[in-house]
Amino acid sequence: MSLGSPRVHFRVVDSTNERARELAERGAPHGTLVTAAEQVAGRGRQGRTWNAPRGRAILCSLVLHKVPRLLPLAAGVAVAEVAGADARVKWPNDVLVDGRKVAGILVEGRPQEGWAVLGIGINVAVRPEELPPELRDRAGTLGLEPDAIEPLLARLLGSLEHWIAADVGSVLASVRGRDELLGKQLRWTGGEGRGAGIDGDGRLIVVTDGGHVALDAGEVHLVG
Ligand code: BTN
């Protein structure tokens, strides 16, 4: 298996994505893994922060040199696979169980320099009462114990290995099979409509009053 070696583990770190970025800039090989028990400046998508109580979540970042076209979707499918048969993907790659977000993915990179950092946070053993109050309605947990973190990380690396190498058609088929937004009413900065699937380029199709649009970046919110 090429993902996960070498591995650097921190008890406390600012952000595993930040450490992985530094390693990538210094020429770290494909598959280099940075993990932490705790992050004090965890980064989320759209400039948000990412919080998880110490020792209760997978907090990891991988340096990748072979970057597939649909990496964000492939990573979402890989994470959903380890989160369970009922896990759904909320485009582009939030992973939800019972409508609650249990995992987030942040891809950062320098395509021109041939690398990307794939950062993943999974609430493996987070207790609901440990979640920040403002997230309690939307965030979830796999409800496991802390000793499940390492075995789950090993499964995650295997799943990522598979999905990062998978062809585009397989990634799309899998993400479509777990599409949380299909048929749901959505809102985004540019408008409102109903989720109508994911196109061949990995874009979210939304049916609006005026026709349909394909979103290729950003974030959508479920209405209601
Ligand atoms: C999101 O907003 O949904 C993405 C969250 C990504 C969080 C993970 S935790 C490990 C890695 N290091 C970070 O600083 N962020 C990612």
Side-chain angles (χ1 to χ4, degrees), residues 184-188 191-193 221-224:
K184 302 243 177 90
Q185 195 62 24
L186 315 171
R187 190 180 299 132
W188 72 101
E192 202 169 317
H221 304 279
L222 286 158
V223 176

Side-chain angles (χ1 to χ4, degrees), residues 15-17 39 41-45 48 50 59-61 94 101 104-106 119-121:
S15 153
T16 56
N17 264 35
Q39 291 184 129
R43 294 207 286 260
R45 295 179 65 233
R48 287 188 295 258
W50 183 262
L59 302 169
C60 71
S61 301
D94 286 349
K101 178 164 167 173
I105 295 168
L106 178 64
I120 299 173

Side-chain angles (χ1 to χ4, degrees), residues 47-170:
R48 287 188 295 258
T49 56
W50 183 262
N51 298 301
R54 177 173 2 113
R56 296 200 158 261
I58 288 178
L59 302 169
C60 71
S61 301
L62 282 162
V63 175
L64 301 178
H65 291 293
K66 292 165 253 162
V67 183
R69 187 160 66 88
L70 297 183
L71 175 62
L73 297 189
V77 165
V79 173
E81 196 169 76
V82 303
D86 297 336
R88 317 278 292 166
V89 176
K90 175 177 171 283
W91 183 90
N93 55 21
D94 286 349
V95 175
L96 277 61
V97 173
D98 294 333
R100 288 170 178 272
K101 178 164 167 173
V102 296
I105 295 168
L106 178 64
V107 179
E108 299 179 304
R110 293 265 173 80
Q112 68 280 13
E113 289 171 28
W115 58 265
V117 167
L118 171 61
I120 299 173
I122 306 179
N123 292 344
V124 175
V126 177
R127 293 177 289 230
E129 66 272 18
E130 290 175 314
L131 292 163
E134 66 278 12
L135 294 183
R136 264 177 221 160
D137 286 351
R138 286 174 287 127
T141 169
L142 297 184
L144 303 172
E145 293 302 316
D147 62 6
I149 288 176
E150 279 301 310
L152 208 68
L153 175 63
R155 281 181 51 211
L156 174 65
L157 293 172
S159 185
L160 286 166
E161 193 97 44
H162 171 83
W163 286 108
I164 285 174
D167 59 89
V168 167
S170 307

Side-chain angles (χ1 to χ4, degrees), residues 3 15 30 34 43 68 104 127 132 166 176 185 196 198 215 223-224:
L3 298 182
S15 153
H30 177 82
V34 180
R43 294 207 286 260
R127 293 177 289 230
R176 285 170 181 148
Q185 195 62 24
I198 289 155
L215 306 179
V223 176

